[in-house]
Structures are given as structure tokens and as C-alpha cells.
Amino acid sequence: MTQYTSPQAALLEHDPRPRPPLDARVLVYVGLDLLGDGLMKLPFVRALRAAFPEGEIVWLAGKGGSAYKTQLAPLVKGLLTEVVENADIGSSWTEILGRPMKDDSFDLVIDTQTRMLTTLVLKRIKTGCFISGAADFSLSTIKPGKGYVRPDAMCARLLDLLHLATGEAPNPQAPIPMAREIGELAGRLLPEGYRYVAFAPGAGGKHKIWPLQNYVTVARSLSANDIVPVWFLGPDEATWIDDIAANVPGSLFPLQHSAARPLKYRADLTIATASFCAAGVANDCGGGHLLAAAGIPLISLFGPTDPSKFAPMAHDGIVIRAQDFGGEAMEKIPPQVVLQALSGFLS
């Protein structure tokens, strides 16, 4: 899935009660957020702030830590009011006898998980509107109508919860506030006067990586047409720089630039820098979600993993699957197919 489509209006059960106001106090409950989870949930966080531009939004990780408190904190500054980790809420039956967060109340509570015990505990929090998909929305204040089908993608499910809460189609492409110094640095790393294409060739598992030589083949073709390849390499891919630079002269490596090194691969710098590119290509990886967050046209390459669950929510995206070329191994995807897709974006 590369774009979010809201459920049809007919699938939303009519509810005459007013929706939470623009300045609502909102509590979003998650179990925990690993780095990958946080990247996939980012469009939901953007839509949440757009839905409640004047609201207080508390992100509550009840059973662990949250990447929004650590590695991804710069991305959600201005989107989330507060991130609470390790809250120890939603694990024990005894919590149902009390009232979690008894000294607090909210206009809206969104329960993003589906374990019934946890939902029963969260239902005890004081709120005017409780949204939860657990047990087919049986405890939710507002429910989808008959015929609703839960999406495969985690973020799309969360956006559906927000749609229920507000009655309005959410906007997962809403702006991400960027620190001025980050935007200025991105502009220096990719100066005006050139056309750039972004590449995120790494991934958390080798089985998800399109061969680097194929990326080089695509980049060389672009370079021959006066398009500058921009490589977004993480710490695990930094050893590829010499090989890429030797085979694709003129390539840029913004995250390894001396001016960027003190930021230590901050996610907001990747998004800000990628926003200067005309298009991007990425594996099924965190870098792909960051390129999508930059709002550029994105080609996502998939093999053994399922794009219906893991594809970035790009504003303008294409998924190319190895299965369409005879197998699930990433090397099945021909470079020429990627070049053709890029040509469509760049023209």
C-alpha cells in the first residue's frame, strides 16, 4: 500500500454526537514503538496533529519504550505534545478494578491495539469518546458500519480509527514541523541548480536488499542524463561509499558530509534533504519510509516481504515486486524496469 484510502462514508456508522473539538485532549495508547514501528506510524501522527491542530496529544506507550522518545523524537516535536514511555498500563486484570490515570481525563482516547484485556483497562480512563478496534469495535464509542474490512497495513488501520473519531478523512501527508537549522543544512547539502534522485539501498535484512550493483546501474544511467544520484546510507552501509563513488562519479552522500556528521543520522535531516529530490528508490526499509515522508515520488522494491503490510505511505508511489519477474528474490527485479518507472516520474 502506497497511499491511504479512507473507508467509504457508507461504512461509517452514523453517530449524532459531536466529534472531539480541534483543541481536544487526545490520548493515543500503544504497547510500544520500535524504530520501524515509529516510522510506519508517522503518517498517522501527522494526520492526528492535522485533525487536532490546537489539541494536546499524549502518546502513551503502556508496555515498553517508544522511538518517539528517542531516535525519532525530532520528527514528532510539534506533532505530539507529550510522549510517555513504560507507563505499565494495560497488562493486569487488577487494573480493571481501579481507574488508570485517575487524576486525568481526555476528550478522546484512541486504543491502537486489540488485546481485549488491555482495551478493558483503557476503557476505564475518563474520556468523552473511546475508539478501539478490539473485538470488532465492541467497546468503541463509534463503530464502522457493516461491510468494513480492516486494512492489512498497520498505519492504515490507525488512520481508520482516526477517521471514526473525527468523521473526516485523515490527512497522512500533513506537514512535519522542521527545525530551521535542519532545513538550512539540507539546502546546503543539496544546492539549487541540479536535479537529484534519492536512493535508500540498505535494509534491516539482506533478503530485502536489491543488489547494490543494480542500484549502481540505475544511478549511472541517471548520471549520464545530468541527474545527480543522492545516496542515503546508514551506519551499516557506510562501507559502500568508496565502491559507489568509484562507479558513479558525482554521487552525493549527504548523511556522511562533514556538516551532517554531528547529527548522527537524524531522521529529520534525511527527510529534509530528500525533499530536494525529484524522486526516490528504496528497498523495504526505514529509509523508504523517510523518503516517503519527504513527499517525493517513490519507487519501493519488494521481494519476500508483503507490500500490502509494509509499503511506505507515499504521496505518489509505485511498488515493484520481484514476484512479477519470476520469484521473490530481490535480484529478480530488472534495473531497466526501475529506470522506466523513474522516467515516468522525472518526465
Side-chain angles (χ1 to χ4, degrees):
M1 173 178 178
T2 58
Q3 287 184 322
Y4 171 71
T5 303
S6 291
Q8 297 179 11
L11 297 184
L12 292 175
E13 183 179 87
H14 175 68
D15 190 286
R17 286 169 289 191
R19 293 321 203 249
L22 297 180
D23 62 350
R25 295 198 74 231
V26 180
L27 177 71
V28 178
Y29 179 92
V30 298
L32 52 81
D33 302 306
L34 301 176
L35 179 61
D37 299 327
L39 289 172
M40 286 193 287
K41 293 174 185 176
L42 184 59
F44 168 65
V45 177
R46 296 166 70 176
L48 194 63
R49 174 51 68 191
F52 302 104
E54 305 163 24
E56 179 183 348
I57 302 174
V58 178
W59 191 271
L60 181 71
K63 301 179 182 180
S66 173
Y68 290 151
K69 191 78 171 180
T70 53
Q71 304 105 306
L72 300 182
L75 285 186
V76 298
K77 185 177 182 180
L79 297 177
L80 300 176
T81 308
E82 183 181 7
V83 177
V84 180
E85 294 184 295
N86 302 298
D88 195 23
I89 292 175
S91 297
S92 170
W93 284 102
T94 59
E95 296 175 68
I96 299 174
L97 303 177
R99 187 178 292 278
M101 307 180 76
K102 63 181 180 179
D103 296 326
D104 213 342
S105 64
F106 298 89
D107 298 296
L108 170 65
V109 171
I110 298 179
D111 171 19
T112 70
Q113 60 84 59
T114 56
R115 183 180 181 229
M116 196 59 179
L117 167 59
T118 302
T119 301
L120 288 170
V121 171
L122 298 177
K123 185 71 174 175
R124 298 284 295 154
I125 296 174
K126 297 175 186 175
T127 182
C129 182
F130 182 76
I131 301 293
S132 174
D136 291 329
F137 296 88
S138 61
L139 296 180
S140 189
T141 304
I142 306 169
K143 304 171 177 61
K146 293 180 180 179
Y148 172 75
V149 178
R150 195 189 303 266
D152 291 332
M154 173 180 62
C155 189
R157 294 183 181 188
L158 301 185
L159 288 164
D160 282 1
L161 297 179
L162 181 58
H163 188 185
L164 281 175
T166 64
E168 302 287 342
N171 178 15
Q173 304 296 330
I176 300 174
M178 286 285 172
R180 185 179 66 181
E181 60 271 19
I182 294 296
E184 292 174 348
L185 174 56
R188 294 199 302 273
L189 294 173
L190 298 190
E192 293 182 1
Y194 301 90
R195 294 192 82 194
Y196 302 103
V197 167
F199 294 105
K206 291 183 179 179
H207 62 293
K208 298 191 292 183
I209 295 178
W210 198 42
L212 181 61
Q213 183 54 50
N214 289 352
Y215 274 101
V216 167
T217 298
V218 171
R220 284 173 64 91
S221 179
L222 296 176
S223 184
N225 289 282
D226 297 322
I227 296 172
V228 180
V230 181
W231 302 83
F232 289 92
L233 305 178
D236 294 338
E237 296 91 48
T239 56
W240 298 354
I241 292 177
D242 290 344
D243 187 25
I244 294 171
N247 286 281
V248 193
S251 289
L252 297 181
F253 306 91
L255 301 185
Q256 283 76 31
H257 191 282
S258 59
R261 283 181 200 142
L263 297 180
K264 298 180 179 179
Y265 302 96
R266 264 179 52 170
D268 54 344
L269 179 60
T270 295
I271 293 174
T273 307
S275 69
F276 287 89
C277 296
V281 183
N283 301 319
D284 172 17
C285 64
H289 289 274
L290 294 175
L291 297 189
I296 63 174
L298 179 66
I299 298 167
S300 298
L301 307 180
F302 274 77
T305 52
D306 185 355
S308 70
K309 294 182 179 179
F310 302 114
M313 198 167 284
H315 175 68
D316 190 0
I318 294 175
V319 170
I320 298 177
R321 299 196 68 185
Q323 286 83 347
D324 294 331
F325 304 96
E328 68 172 25
M330 293 292 286
E331 55 263 28
K332 292 285 186 180
I333 300 174
Q336 190 58 37
V337 172
V338 176
L339 273 168
Q340 288 173 353
L342 271 174
S343 177
F345 284 145
L346 298 175
S347 61

